[in-house]
Amino acid sequence: MIKTPKMKFYDKGFIYKYSDYTQVQIFSAGTVVLDMKIYENRVCKSTFKCQDLKTFNRENLNKSYNEMFLKNLFDKNEKEVVHRDKENNILIKIRRD
């Protein structure tokens, strides 16, 4: 689940870890609704050109977020990861089967 003022996804998906990036794909009714590649210095989504991490955070999360926040969050190997930021109205939940 990804819920921010600009992004809202609550579906099943996959997290793939490659040597140079992490790919997050979320599906709804068998269709990819989010395809995002998170590199060390940029984020690329199928709906926009690549952005540096600072710009992505400012436009989709909050400018106060550390540049590596998103990559570090999706790279965690825990069964469940929950990030709640009530001040900025952001909730990200990752549950691994």
Side-chain angles (χ1 to χ4, degrees):
M1 173 201 303
I2 299 175
K3 183 182 173 199
T4 74
K6 291 196 174 190
M7 298 189 320
K8 290 177 180 38
F9 301 101
Y10 186 71
D11 295 291
K12 292 231 178 221
F14 297 96
I15 299 172
Y16 302 102
K17 295 181 186 179
Y18 299 102
S19 60
D20 56 340
Y21 67 92
T22 300
Q23 183 174 9
V24 177
Q25 290 183 322
I26 298 177
F27 294 84
S28 179
T31 302
V32 175
V33 293
L34 175 67
D35 188 6
M36 181 168 57
K37 293 179 182 173
I38 308 165
Y39 296 86
E40 294 291 328
N41 61 352
R42 68 191 185 282
V43 175
C44 301
K45 279 188 4 181
S46 56
T47 56
F48 63 74
K49 293 182 180 179
C50 295
Q51 296 179 311
D52 64 80
L53 297 172
K54 192 173 187 176
T55 302
F56 178 85
N57 287 349
R58 186 179 67 244
E59 291 182 5
N60 296 283
L61 301 171
N62 186 279
K63 66 181 180 179
S64 66
Y65 280 69
N66 177 292
E67 288 184 18
M68 296 305 295
F69 167 78
L70 198 63
K71 179 146 179 58
N72 291 339
L73 191 74
F74 281 103
D75 281 349
K76 289 183 179 181
N77 286 322
E78 299 167 19
K79 179 124 175 110
E80 183 170 295
V81 177
V82 178
H83 173 78
R84 274 190 183 90
D85 178 353
K86 291 182 180 181
E87 183 178 322
N88 295 303
N89 198 26
I90 295 170
L91 174 61
I92 300 173
K93 280 187 186 180
I94 303 165
R95 286 191 196 140
R96 290 180 170 81
D97 293 335

